[in-house]
Amino acid sequence: AQSVTQLDSQVPVFEEAPVELRCNYSSSVSVYLFWYVQYPNQGLQLLLKYLSGSTLVKGINGFEAEFNKSQTSFHLRKPSVHISDTAEYFCAVSEAGGSYIPTFGRGTSLIVHP
Amino acid sequence: NAGVTQTPKFQVLKTGQSMTLQCAQDMNHEYMSWYRQDPGMGLRLIHYSVGAGITDQGEVPNGYNVSRSTTEDFPLRLLSAAPSQTSVYFCASRSSGGQYNEQFFGPGTRLTVL
């Protein structure tokens, strides 16, 4: 069965600094990987997803993530964050041919300080 | 398209009261699901449905009932509210055809049980 671990519950960072939010998954089959963002008092929206092909995936708002099969990771990065990036970020995994519902990590709270 | 809509946005209940959280989507998605979000716990799956007339339990189903009489609607019923059900509830939907399809989330219902 699939599982997802987000290694940091909270990541504080200063504005314009780079950031990496870590996500590791566990699965014995091919996977699809997602990052969702939840701004304060809102629902979740898709940031980016990895289906196949290039391991570097670009998403909205300047975020990108790299799929590393050998390390079973899908870390999210942004070279320069803004105050408006303050939000909760969720990593999720679906197994090819597996459950109808993806498995979500517990979330990482990104706090951007001025 | 309105996407996924949820009503009400906020609700306060007394212990023992019942209520129904409404969820509707206009994207003709087969799969719908309910999550609750609590601090430090991420998103936990309550119930899900893979089509009209078909529902199944998720990780934390106790105290909740669902039904799916139409493709569009997926209400969540609290039969006898308890303080432990104080949470933010999210409804989500996605199309069938593959686990690579992302989920679309509603804006959430913030429920307080006194």
Side-chain angles (χ1 to χ4, degrees), chain A residues 36 38 41 43-44 46 49 51 90 94-95 97-102 104 106, chain B residues 31 35 37 40 42-43 45 48 50 90 94 99-100 102-103 105-106 110:
Chain A
Y36 290 84
Q38 182 184 30
N41 300 314
L44 282 71
L46 184 71
K49 63 181 178 181
L51 305 183
F90 291 93
S94 286
E95 288 183 332
S99 171
Y100 300 109
I101 305 297
F104 282 83
R106 291 196 169 191
Chain B
Y31 299 163
Y35 296 87
Q37 183 180 24
L43 292 172
L45 183 66
Y48 66 97
V50 298
F90 290 100
R94 75 168 181 89
Q99 280 76 5
Y100 47 79
E102 70 264 28
Q103 290 194 300
F105 285 82
R110 188 173 297 272

PDB file of all heavy atoms in Angstrom, chain A residues 36 38 41 43-44 46 49 51 90 94-95 97-102 104 106, chain B residues 31 35 37 40 42-43 45 48 50 90 94 99-100 102-103 105-106 110:
ATOM      1  N   TYR A  36      -0.192  19.803  -3.650  1.00  0.00           N
ATOM      2  CA  TYR A  36      -1.317  20.723  -3.551  1.00  0.00           C
ATOM      3  C   TYR A  36      -0.945  21.856  -2.594  1.00  0.00           C
ATOM      4  O   TYR A  36      -0.177  21.655  -1.654  1.00  0.00           O
ATOM      5  CB  TYR A  36      -2.556  20.021  -2.999  1.00  0.00           C
ATOM      6  CG  TYR A  36      -3.196  19.025  -3.937  1.00  0.00           C
ATOM      7  CD1 TYR A  36      -2.724  17.719  -4.032  1.00  0.00           C
ATOM      8  CD2 TYR A  36      -4.292  19.389  -4.730  1.00  0.00           C
ATOM      9  CE1 TYR A  36      -3.327  16.796  -4.890  1.00  0.00           C
ATOM     10  CE2 TYR A  36      -4.905  18.475  -5.576  1.00  0.00           C
ATOM     11  CZ  TYR A  36      -4.410  17.182  -5.648  1.00  0.00           C
ATOM     12  OH  TYR A  36      -4.996  16.283  -6.494  1.00  0.00           O
ATOM     13  N   GLN A  38      -2.653  24.941  -0.059  1.00  0.00           N
ATOM     14  CA  GLN A  38      -3.853  25.428   0.614  1.00  0.00           C
ATOM     15  C   GLN A  38      -3.538  26.787   1.239  1.00  0.00           C
ATOM     16  O   GLN A  38      -2.813  26.867   2.231  1.00  0.00           O
ATOM     17  CB  GLN A  38      -4.308  24.449   1.702  1.00  0.00           C
ATOM     18  CG  GLN A  38      -5.575  24.889   2.410  1.00  0.00           C
ATOM     19  CD  GLN A  38      -5.959  23.970   3.550  1.00  0.00           C
ATOM     20  OE1 GLN A  38      -5.100  23.354   4.191  1.00  0.00           O
ATOM     21  NE2 GLN A  38      -7.253  23.864   3.831  1.00  0.00           N
ATOM     22  N   ASN A  41      -7.608  29.638   4.954  1.00  0.00           N
ATOM     23  CA  ASN A  41      -9.078  29.641   4.882  1.00  0.00           C
ATOM     24  C   ASN A  41      -9.612  29.298   3.486  1.00  0.00           C
ATOM     25  O   ASN A  41     -10.695  29.773   3.098  1.00  0.00           O
ATOM     26  CB  ASN A  41      -9.638  30.990   5.335  1.00  0.00           C
ATOM     27  CG  ASN A  41      -9.259  31.305   6.763  1.00  0.00           C
ATOM     28  OD1 ASN A  41      -9.370  30.458   7.646  1.00  0.00           O
ATOM     29  ND2 ASN A  41      -8.771  32.512   6.990  1.00  0.00           N
ATOM     30  N   GLY A  43      -9.744  26.043   0.206  1.00  0.00           N
ATOM     31  CA  GLY A  43      -9.561  24.634  -0.108  1.00  0.00           C
ATOM     32  C   GLY A  43      -8.213  24.403  -0.775  1.00  0.00           C
ATOM     33  O   GLY A  43      -7.432  25.333  -0.979  1.00  0.00           O
ATOM     34  N   LEU A  44      -7.931  23.145  -1.088  1.00  0.00           N
ATOM     35  CA  LEU A  44      -6.667  22.798  -1.734  1.00  0.00           C
ATOM     36  C   LEU A  44      -6.781  22.991  -3.235  1.00  0.00           C
ATOM     37  O   LEU A  44      -7.835  22.774  -3.832  1.00  0.00           O
ATOM     38  CB  LEU A  44      -6.310  21.332  -1.456  1.00  0.00           C
ATOM     39  CG  LEU A  44      -5.733  20.984  -0.103  1.00  0.00           C
ATOM     40  CD1 LEU A  44      -6.772  21.075   0.989  1.00  0.00           C
ATOM     41  CD2 LEU A  44      -5.130  19.566  -0.144  1.00  0.00           C
ATOM     42  N   LEU A  46      -4.342  22.281  -6.982  1.00  0.00           N
ATOM     43  CA  LEU A  46      -3.178  21.595  -7.521  1.00  0.00           C
ATOM     44  C   LEU A  46      -2.068  22.577  -7.848  1.00  0.00           C
ATOM     45  O   LEU A  46      -2.299  23.602  -8.498  1.00  0.00           O
ATOM     46  CB  LEU A  46      -3.571  20.819  -8.778  1.00  0.00           C
ATOM     47  CG  LEU A  46      -2.475  19.986  -9.395  1.00  0.00           C
ATOM     48  CD1 LEU A  46      -2.166  18.782  -8.500  1.00  0.00           C
ATOM     49  CD2 LEU A  46      -2.871  19.512 -10.788  1.00  0.00           C
ATOM     50  N   LYS A  49       2.040  18.193 -10.818  1.00  0.00           N
ATOM     51  CA  LYS A  49       1.948  16.737 -10.710  1.00  0.00           C
ATOM     52  C   LYS A  49       2.976  16.078 -11.602  1.00  0.00           C
ATOM     53  O   LYS A  49       3.361  16.621 -12.648  1.00  0.00           O
ATOM     54  CB  LYS A  49       0.542  16.252 -11.051  1.00  0.00           C
ATOM     55  CG  LYS A  49       0.088  16.524 -12.469  1.00  0.00           C
ATOM     56  CD  LYS A  49      -1.342  16.009 -12.668  1.00  0.00           C
ATOM     57  CE  LYS A  49      -1.843  16.303 -14.079  1.00  0.00           C
ATOM     58  NZ  LYS A  49      -3.253  15.833 -14.265  1.00  0.00           N
ATOM     59  N   LEU A  51       3.519  12.618 -13.727  1.00  0.00           N
ATOM     60  CA  LEU A  51       2.865  11.417 -14.256  1.00  0.00           C
ATOM     61  C   LEU A  51       3.894  10.455 -14.843  1.00  0.00           C
ATOM     62  O   LEU A  51       3.887   9.259 -14.563  1.00  0.00           O
ATOM     63  CB  LEU A  51       1.831  11.801 -15.314  1.00  0.00           C
ATOM     64  CG  LEU A  51       0.758  12.805 -14.868  1.00  0.00           C
ATOM     65  CD1 LEU A  51      -0.245  13.057 -15.986  1.00  0.00           C
ATOM     66  CD2 LEU A  51       0.059  12.333 -13.614  1.00  0.00           C
ATOM     67  N   PHE A  90       0.676  20.178   0.598  1.00  0.00           N
ATOM     68  CA  PHE A  90       0.430  18.756   0.769  1.00  0.00           C
ATOM     69  C   PHE A  90       0.990  17.972  -0.411  1.00  0.00           C
ATOM     70  O   PHE A  90       0.733  18.304  -1.565  1.00  0.00           O
ATOM     71  CB  PHE A  90      -1.074  18.473   0.858  1.00  0.00           C
ATOM     72  CG  PHE A  90      -1.723  18.979   2.109  1.00  0.00           C
ATOM     73  CD1 PHE A  90      -2.313  20.232   2.129  1.00  0.00           C
ATOM     74  CD2 PHE A  90      -1.755  18.210   3.259  1.00  0.00           C
ATOM     75  CE1 PHE A  90      -2.922  20.715   3.277  1.00  0.00           C
ATOM     76  CE2 PHE A  90      -2.362  18.676   4.414  1.00  0.00           C
ATOM     77  CZ  PHE A  90      -2.940  19.935   4.425  1.00  0.00           C
ATOM     78  N   SER A  94      -0.644   8.529  -5.821  1.00  0.00           N
ATOM     79  CA  SER A  94      -1.586   7.530  -6.303  1.00  0.00           C
ATOM     80  C   SER A  94      -0.793   6.428  -6.977  1.00  0.00           C
ATOM     81  O   SER A  94       0.155   6.720  -7.701  1.00  0.00           O
ATOM     82  CB  SER A  94      -2.567   8.129  -7.326  1.00  0.00           C
ATOM     83  OG  SER A  94      -3.522   8.933  -6.712  1.00  0.00           O
ATOM     84  N   GLU A  95      -1.219   5.203  -6.767  1.00  0.00           N
ATOM     85  CA  GLU A  95      -0.560   4.075  -7.419  1.00  0.00           C
ATOM     86  C   GLU A  95      -1.274   3.741  -8.713  1.00  0.00           C
ATOM     87  O   GLU A  95      -2.517   3.725  -8.752  1.00  0.00           O
ATOM     88  CB  GLU A  95      -0.568   2.840  -6.514  1.00  0.00           C
ATOM     89  CG  GLU A  95       0.375   2.931  -5.331  1.00  0.00           C
ATOM     90  CD  GLU A  95       0.380   1.659  -4.504  1.00  0.00           C
ATOM     91  OE1 GLU A  95      -0.648   0.961  -4.484  1.00  0.00           O
ATOM     92  OE2 GLU A  95       1.411   1.374  -3.875  1.00  0.00           O
ATOM     93  N   GLY A  97      -3.149   1.758 -11.129  1.00  0.00           N
ATOM     94  CA  GLY A  97      -3.972   0.580 -10.928  1.00  0.00           C
ATOM     95  C   GLY A  97      -4.364   0.332  -9.478  1.00  0.00           C
ATOM     96  O   GLY A  97      -4.895  -0.728  -9.151  1.00  0.00           O
ATOM     97  N   GLY A  98      -4.132   1.314  -8.634  1.00  0.00           N
ATOM     98  CA  GLY A  98      -4.390   1.129  -7.207  1.00  0.00           C
ATOM     99  C   GLY A  98      -5.687   1.760  -6.750  1.00  0.00           C
ATOM    100  O   GLY A  98      -6.653   1.848  -7.499  1.00  0.00           O
ATOM    101  N   SER A  99      -5.672   2.248  -5.520  1.00  0.00           N
ATOM    102  CA  SER A  99      -6.869   2.823  -4.904  1.00  0.00           C
ATOM    103  C   SER A  99      -7.417   3.997  -5.712  1.00  0.00           C
ATOM    104  O   SER A  99      -6.683   4.711  -6.388  1.00  0.00           O
ATOM    105  CB  SER A  99      -6.540   3.283  -3.492  1.00  0.00           C
ATOM    106  OG  SER A  99      -7.604   4.031  -2.948  1.00  0.00           O
ATOM    107  N   TYR A 100      -8.730   4.178  -5.636  1.00  0.00           N
ATOM    108  CA  TYR A 100      -9.371   5.296  -6.325  1.00  0.00           C
ATOM    109  C   TYR A 100      -8.974   6.635  -5.723  1.00  0.00           C
ATOM    110  O   TYR A 100      -9.051   7.667  -6.374  1.00  0.00           O
ATOM    111  CB  TYR A 100     -10.895   5.168  -6.228  1.00  0.00           C
ATOM    112  CG  TYR A 100     -11.434   3.907  -6.840  1.00  0.00           C
ATOM    113  CD1 TYR A 100     -11.948   2.891  -6.051  1.00  0.00           C
ATOM    114  CD2 TYR A 100     -11.433   3.739  -8.221  1.00  0.00           C
ATOM    115  CE1 TYR A 100     -12.451   1.734  -6.616  1.00  0.00           C
ATOM    116  CE2 TYR A 100     -11.934   2.590  -8.788  1.00  0.00           C
ATOM    117  CZ  TYR A 100     -12.445   1.593  -7.977  1.00  0.00           C
ATOM    118  OH  TYR A 100     -12.944   0.447  -8.535  1.00  0.00           O
ATOM    119  N   ILE A 101      -8.589   6.622  -4.445  1.00  0.00           N
ATOM    120  CA  ILE A 101      -8.326   7.860  -3.726  1.00  0.00           C
ATOM    121  C   ILE A 101      -6.836   7.952  -3.424  1.00  0.00           C
ATOM    122  O   ILE A 101      -6.248   7.005  -2.908  1.00  0.00           O
ATOM    123  CB  ILE A 101      -9.125   7.900  -2.413  1.00  0.00           C
ATOM    124  CG1 ILE A 101     -10.625   7.689  -2.693  1.00  0.00           C
ATOM    125  CG2 ILE A 101      -8.889   9.208  -1.687  1.00  0.00           C
ATOM    126  CD1 ILE A 101     -11.270   8.748  -3.527  1.00  0.00           C
ATOM    127  N   PRO A 102      -6.210   9.107  -3.702  1.00  0.00           N
ATOM    128  CA  PRO A 102      -4.787   9.247  -3.390  1.00  0.00           C
ATOM    129  C   PRO A 102      -4.546   9.324  -1.889  1.00  0.00           C
ATOM    130  O   PRO A 102      -5.452   9.617  -1.123  1.00  0.00           O
ATOM    131  CB  PRO A 102      -4.410  10.569  -4.071  1.00  0.00           C
ATOM    132  CG  PRO A 102      -5.677  11.332  -4.128  1.00  0.00           C
ATOM    133  CD  PRO A 102      -6.766  10.313  -4.329  1.00  0.00           C
ATOM    134  N   PHE A 104      -2.595  11.272   1.088  1.00  0.00           N
ATOM    135  CA  PHE A 104      -1.996  12.579   1.344  1.00  0.00           C
ATOM    136  C   PHE A 104      -1.013  12.522   2.504  1.00  0.00           C
ATOM    137  O   PHE A 104      -1.207  11.756   3.461  1.00  0.00           O
ATOM    138  CB  PHE A 104      -3.087  13.601   1.696  1.00  0.00           C
ATOM    139  CG  PHE A 104      -3.845  14.107   0.506  1.00  0.00           C
ATOM    140  CD1 PHE A 104      -4.898  13.376  -0.015  1.00  0.00           C
ATOM    141  CD2 PHE A 104      -3.502  15.303  -0.100  1.00  0.00           C
ATOM    142  CE1 PHE A 104      -5.598  13.828  -1.125  1.00  0.00           C
ATOM    143  CE2 PHE A 104      -4.194  15.778  -1.200  1.00  0.00           C
ATOM    144  CZ  PHE A 104      -5.246  15.040  -1.711  1.00  0.00           C
ATOM    145  N   ARG A 106       0.882  14.675   5.701  1.00  0.00           N
ATOM    146  CA  ARG A 106       0.280  15.466   6.773  1.00  0.00           C
ATOM    147  C   ARG A 106       0.400  16.960   6.548  1.00  0.00           C
ATOM    148  O   ARG A 106      -0.166  17.743   7.314  1.00  0.00           O
ATOM    149  CB  ARG A 106       0.888  15.095   8.117  1.00  0.00           C
ATOM    150  CG  ARG A 106       0.509  13.714   8.569  1.00  0.00           C
ATOM    151  CD  ARG A 106       0.780  13.517  10.037  1.00  0.00           C
ATOM    152  NE  ARG A 106       0.166  12.273  10.501  1.00  0.00           N
ATOM    153  CZ  ARG A 106       0.046  11.920  11.761  1.00  0.00           C
ATOM    154  NH1 ARG A 106       0.486  12.727  12.718  1.00  0.00           N
ATOM    155  NH2 ARG A 106      -0.513  10.774  12.099  1.00  0.00           N
TER     156      ARG A 106
ATOM    157  N   TYR B  31     -15.837  10.237  -9.220  1.00  0.00           N
ATOM    158  CA  TYR B  31     -15.315   9.999  -7.882  1.00  0.00           C
ATOM    159  C   TYR B  31     -15.491  11.231  -7.001  1.00  0.00           C
ATOM    160  O   TYR B  31     -15.139  12.344  -7.409  1.00  0.00           O
ATOM    161  CB  TYR B  31     -13.822   9.653  -7.925  1.00  0.00           C
ATOM    162  CG  TYR B  31     -13.482   8.417  -8.712  1.00  0.00           C
ATOM    163  CD1 TYR B  31     -12.180   8.187  -9.131  1.00  0.00           C
ATOM    164  CD2 TYR B  31     -14.446   7.473  -9.040  1.00  0.00           C
ATOM    165  CE1 TYR B  31     -11.852   7.064  -9.863  1.00  0.00           C
ATOM    166  CE2 TYR B  31     -14.126   6.343  -9.770  1.00  0.00           C
ATOM    167  CZ  TYR B  31     -12.829   6.147 -10.178  1.00  0.00           C
ATOM    168  OH  TYR B  31     -12.504   5.023 -10.897  1.00  0.00           O
ATOM    169  N   TYR B  35     -13.142  14.623   3.344  1.00  0.00           N
ATOM    170  CA  TYR B  35     -12.007  14.621   4.243  1.00  0.00           C
ATOM    171  C   TYR B  35     -12.317  15.527   5.438  1.00  0.00           C
ATOM    172  O   TYR B  35     -13.085  16.475   5.333  1.00  0.00           O
ATOM    173  CB  TYR B  35     -10.764  15.200   3.556  1.00  0.00           C
ATOM    174  CG  TYR B  35     -10.248  14.420   2.388  1.00  0.00           C
ATOM    175  CD1 TYR B  35     -10.750  14.645   1.105  1.00  0.00           C
ATOM    176  CD2 TYR B  35      -9.243  13.475   2.544  1.00  0.00           C
ATOM    177  CE1 TYR B  35     -10.263  13.942   0.010  1.00  0.00           C
ATOM    178  CE2 TYR B  35      -8.748  12.775   1.458  1.00  0.00           C
ATOM    179  CZ  TYR B  35      -9.263  13.018   0.202  1.00  0.00           C
ATOM    180  OH  TYR B  35      -8.775  12.313  -0.869  1.00  0.00           O
ATOM    181  N   GLN B  37      -9.965  17.877   8.200  1.00  0.00           N
ATOM    182  CA  GLN B  37      -8.619  18.414   8.394  1.00  0.00           C
ATOM    183  C   GLN B  37      -8.515  18.944   9.811  1.00  0.00           C
ATOM    184  O   GLN B  37      -9.257  19.831  10.218  1.00  0.00           O
ATOM    185  CB  GLN B  37      -8.316  19.545   7.405  1.00  0.00           C
ATOM    186  CG  GLN B  37      -6.903  20.088   7.532  1.00  0.00           C
ATOM    187  CD  GLN B  37      -6.602  21.200   6.550  1.00  0.00           C
ATOM    188  OE1 GLN B  37      -7.486  21.891   6.061  1.00  0.00           O
ATOM    189  NE2 GLN B  37      -5.327  21.362   6.220  1.00  0.00           N
ATOM    190  N   GLY B  40      -2.129  19.307  12.604  1.00  0.00           N
ATOM    191  CA  GLY B  40      -1.125  18.270  12.789  1.00  0.00           C
ATOM    192  C   GLY B  40      -1.500  16.901  12.249  1.00  0.00           C
ATOM    193  O   GLY B  40      -0.689  15.965  12.300  1.00  0.00           O
ATOM    194  N   GLY B  42      -3.172  16.509   9.092  1.00  0.00           N
ATOM    195  CA  GLY B  42      -3.324  16.524   7.647  1.00  0.00           C
ATOM    196  C   GLY B  42      -4.767  16.282   7.243  1.00  0.00           C
ATOM    197  O   GLY B  42      -5.705  16.615   7.966  1.00  0.00           O
ATOM    198  N   LEU B  43      -4.943  15.659   6.080  1.00  0.00           N
ATOM    199  CA  LEU B  43      -6.274  15.327   5.586  1.00  0.00           C
ATOM    200  C   LEU B  43      -6.557  13.861   5.857  1.00  0.00           C
ATOM    201  O   LEU B  43      -5.765  13.001   5.485  1.00  0.00           O
ATOM    202  CB  LEU B  43      -6.343  15.558   4.075  1.00  0.00           C
ATOM    203  CG  LEU B  43      -6.271  16.985   3.593  1.00  0.00           C
ATOM    204  CD1 LEU B  43      -6.157  17.004   2.080  1.00  0.00           C
ATOM    205  CD2 LEU B  43      -7.504  17.768   4.024  1.00  0.00           C
ATOM    206  N   LEU B  45      -9.347  10.798   5.258  1.00  0.00           N
ATOM    207  CA  LEU B  45     -10.478  10.403   4.421  1.00  0.00           C
ATOM    208  C   LEU B  45     -11.599   9.825   5.265  1.00  0.00           C
ATOM    209  O   LEU B  45     -11.378   8.895   6.046  1.00  0.00           O
ATOM    210  CB  LEU B  45     -10.009   9.393   3.373  1.00  0.00           C
ATOM    211  CG  LEU B  45     -11.037   8.908   2.368  1.00  0.00           C
ATOM    212  CD1 LEU B  45     -11.483  10.055   1.460  1.00  0.00           C
ATOM    213  CD2 LEU B  45     -10.463   7.769   1.541  1.00  0.00           C
ATOM    214  N   TYR B  48     -15.867   7.832   0.676  1.00  0.00           N
ATOM    215  CA  TYR B  48     -15.733   8.186  -0.714  1.00  0.00           C
ATOM    216  C   TYR B  48     -16.747   7.426  -1.557  1.00  0.00           C
ATOM    217  O   TYR B  48     -17.377   6.463  -1.089  1.00  0.00           O
ATOM    218  CB  TYR B  48     -14.307   7.947  -1.224  1.00  0.00           C
ATOM    219  CG  TYR B  48     -13.870   6.507  -1.270  1.00  0.00           C
ATOM    220  CD1 TYR B  48     -13.946   5.765  -2.447  1.00  0.00           C
ATOM    221  CD2 TYR B  48     -13.328   5.891  -0.145  1.00  0.00           C
ATOM    222  CE1 TYR B  48     -13.519   4.448  -2.498  1.00  0.00           C
ATOM    223  CE2 TYR B  48     -12.907   4.584  -0.189  1.00  0.00           C
ATOM    224  CZ  TYR B  48     -12.998   3.866  -1.362  1.00  0.00           C
ATOM    225  OH  TYR B  48     -12.570   2.561  -1.401  1.00  0.00           O
ATOM    226  N   VAL B  50     -17.444   6.088  -5.790  1.00  0.00           N
ATOM    227  CA  VAL B  50     -16.907   5.953  -7.150  1.00  0.00           C
ATOM    228  C   VAL B  50     -18.005   6.051  -8.197  1.00  0.00           C
ATOM    229  O   VAL B  50     -17.767   5.825  -9.383  1.00  0.00           O
ATOM    230  CB  VAL B  50     -16.115   4.644  -7.311  1.00  0.00           C
ATOM    231  CG1 VAL B  50     -14.918   4.630  -6.368  1.00  0.00           C
ATOM    232  CG2 VAL B  50     -16.989   3.433  -7.089  1.00  0.00           C
ATOM    233  N   PHE B  90     -13.671  18.989   4.035  1.00  0.00           N
ATOM    234  CA  PHE B  90     -13.493  19.259   2.609  1.00  0.00           C
ATOM    235  C   PHE B  90     -14.088  18.139   1.781  1.00  0.00           C
ATOM    236  O   PHE B  90     -13.898  16.964   2.071  1.00  0.00           O
ATOM    237  CB  PHE B  90     -12.010  19.401   2.253  1.00  0.00           C
ATOM    238  CG  PHE B  90     -11.391  20.647   2.784  1.00  0.00           C
ATOM    239  CD1 PHE B  90     -10.634  20.615   3.940  1.00  0.00           C
ATOM    240  CD2 PHE B  90     -11.565  21.857   2.135  1.00  0.00           C
ATOM    241  CE1 PHE B  90     -10.055  21.765   4.446  1.00  0.00           C
ATOM    242  CE2 PHE B  90     -10.990  23.017   2.625  1.00  0.00           C
ATOM    243  CZ  PHE B  90     -10.244  22.975   3.793  1.00  0.00           C
ATOM    244  N   ARG B  94     -12.986  13.957  -8.545  1.00  0.00           N
ATOM    245  CA  ARG B  94     -12.080  13.806  -9.681  1.00  0.00           C
ATOM    246  C   ARG B  94     -12.735  12.890 -10.701  1.00  0.00           C
ATOM    247  O   ARG B  94     -13.621  12.094 -10.381  1.00  0.00           O
ATOM    248  CB  ARG B  94     -10.719  13.269  -9.274  1.00  0.00           C
ATOM    249  CG  ARG B  94     -10.621  11.804  -8.938  1.00  0.00           C
ATOM    250  CD  ARG B  94      -9.138  11.404  -8.842  1.00  0.00           C
ATOM    251  NE  ARG B  94      -8.957  10.000  -8.534  1.00  0.00           N
ATOM    252  CZ  ARG B  94      -8.883   9.036  -9.452  1.00  0.00           C
ATOM    253  NH1 ARG B  94      -8.992   9.327 -10.734  1.00  0.00           N
ATOM    254  NH2 ARG B  94      -8.690   7.791  -9.085  1.00  0.00           N
ATOM    255  N   GLN B  99      -5.586   6.974 -12.148  1.00  0.00           N
ATOM    256  CA  GLN B  99      -5.174   7.585 -10.872  1.00  0.00           C
ATOM    257  C   GLN B  99      -4.314   8.821 -11.076  1.00  0.00           C
ATOM    258  O   GLN B  99      -3.946   9.491 -10.124  1.00  0.00           O
ATOM    259  CB  GLN B  99      -4.398   6.558 -10.038  1.00  0.00           C
ATOM    260  CG  GLN B  99      -5.280   5.565  -9.292  1.00  0.00           C
ATOM    261  CD  GLN B  99      -5.865   4.491 -10.189  1.00  0.00           C
ATOM    262  OE1 GLN B  99      -5.561   4.405 -11.379  1.00  0.00           O
ATOM    263  NE2 GLN B  99      -6.711   3.659  -9.644  1.00  0.00           N
ATOM    264  N   TYR B 100      -4.019   9.156 -12.340  1.00  0.00           N
ATOM    265  CA  TYR B 100      -3.226  10.346 -12.615  1.00  0.00           C
ATOM    266  C   TYR B 100      -4.058  11.618 -12.633  1.00  0.00           C
ATOM    267  O   TYR B 100      -3.532  12.716 -12.737  1.00  0.00           O
ATOM    268  CB  TYR B 100      -2.513  10.196 -13.964  1.00  0.00           C
ATOM    269  CG  TYR B 100      -3.398   9.699 -15.077  1.00  0.00           C
ATOM    270  CD1 TYR B 100      -4.273  10.560 -15.741  1.00  0.00           C
ATOM    271  CD2 TYR B 100      -3.376   8.369 -15.458  1.00  0.00           C
ATOM    272  CE1 TYR B 100      -5.096  10.105 -16.743  1.00  0.00           C
ATOM    273  CE2 TYR B 100      -4.206   7.893 -16.466  1.00  0.00           C
ATOM    274  CZ  TYR B 100      -5.060   8.770 -17.113  1.00  0.00           C
ATOM    275  OH  TYR B 100      -5.866   8.308 -18.115  1.00  0.00           O
ATOM    276  N   GLU B 102      -6.054  14.637 -11.128  1.00  0.00           N
ATOM    277  CA  GLU B 102      -5.999  15.301  -9.833  1.00  0.00           C
ATOM    278  C   GLU B 102      -7.384  15.494  -9.244  1.00  0.00           C
ATOM    279  O   GLU B 102      -8.393  15.407  -9.935  1.00  0.00           O
ATOM    280  CB  GLU B 102      -5.315  16.670  -9.953  1.00  0.00           C
ATOM    281  CG  GLU B 102      -6.131  17.726 -10.697  1.00  0.00           C
ATOM    282  CD  GLU B 102      -5.739  17.802 -12.149  1.00  0.00           C
ATOM    283  OE1 GLU B 102      -5.290  16.777 -12.699  1.00  0.00           O
ATOM    284  OE2 GLU B 102      -5.897  18.903 -12.722  1.00  0.00           O
ATOM    285  N   GLN B 103      -7.418  15.766  -7.953  1.00  0.00           N
ATOM    286  CA  GLN B 103      -8.664  16.040  -7.266  1.00  0.00           C
ATOM    287  C   GLN B 103      -8.927  17.545  -7.250  1.00  0.00           C
ATOM    288  O   GLN B 103      -8.010  18.355  -7.213  1.00  0.00           O
ATOM    289  CB  GLN B 103      -8.604  15.524  -5.830  1.00  0.00           C
ATOM    290  CG  GLN B 103      -8.621  14.009  -5.739  1.00  0.00           C
ATOM    291  CD  GLN B 103      -8.893  13.533  -4.343  1.00  0.00           C
ATOM    292  OE1 GLN B 103      -8.152  13.827  -3.433  1.00  0.00           O
ATOM    293  NE2 GLN B 103      -9.968  12.778  -4.160  1.00  0.00           N
ATOM    294  N   PHE B 105     -11.000  20.395  -5.041  1.00  0.00           N
ATOM    295  CA  PHE B 105     -11.529  20.534  -3.699  1.00  0.00           C
ATOM    296  C   PHE B 105     -12.513  21.688  -3.594  1.00  0.00           C
ATOM    297  O   PHE B 105     -12.374  22.709  -4.267  1.00  0.00           O
ATOM    298  CB  PHE B 105     -10.391  20.777  -2.706  1.00  0.00           C
ATOM    299  CG  PHE B 105      -9.581  19.550  -2.404  1.00  0.00           C
ATOM    300  CD1 PHE B 105      -8.577  19.132  -3.259  1.00  0.00           C
ATOM    301  CD2 PHE B 105      -9.835  18.806  -1.265  1.00  0.00           C
ATOM    302  CE1 PHE B 105      -7.836  17.995  -2.989  1.00  0.00           C
ATOM    303  CE2 PHE B 105      -9.101  17.664  -0.991  1.00  0.00           C
ATOM    304  CZ  PHE B 105      -8.105  17.258  -1.845  1.00  0.00           C
ATOM    305  N   GLY B 106     -13.480  21.512  -2.690  1.00  0.00           N
ATOM    306  CA  GLY B 106     -14.361  22.613  -2.335  1.00  0.00           C
ATOM    307  C   GLY B 106     -13.689  23.536  -1.341  1.00  0.00           C
ATOM    308  O   GLY B 106     -12.581  23.254  -0.871  1.00  0.00           O
ATOM    309  N   ARG B 110     -16.388  24.789   8.041  1.00  0.00           N
ATOM    310  CA  ARG B 110     -15.769  24.813   9.378  1.00  0.00           C
ATOM    311  C   ARG B 110     -16.857  24.513  10.394  1.00  0.00           C
ATOM    312  O   ARG B 110     -17.793  25.306  10.559  1.00  0.00           O
ATOM    313  CB  ARG B 110     -15.136  26.166   9.638  1.00  0.00           C
ATOM    314  CG  ARG B 110     -14.306  26.240  10.910  1.00  0.00           C
ATOM    315  CD  ARG B 110     -13.573  27.577  11.019  1.00  0.00           C
ATOM    316  NE  ARG B 110     -12.621  27.757   9.952  1.00  0.00           N
ATOM    317  CZ  ARG B 110     -11.365  27.351   9.975  1.00  0.00           C
ATOM    318  NH1 ARG B 110     -10.902  26.733  11.044  1.00  0.00           N
ATOM    319  NH2 ARG B 110     -10.554  27.584   8.962  1.00  0.00           N
TER     320      ARG B 110
END
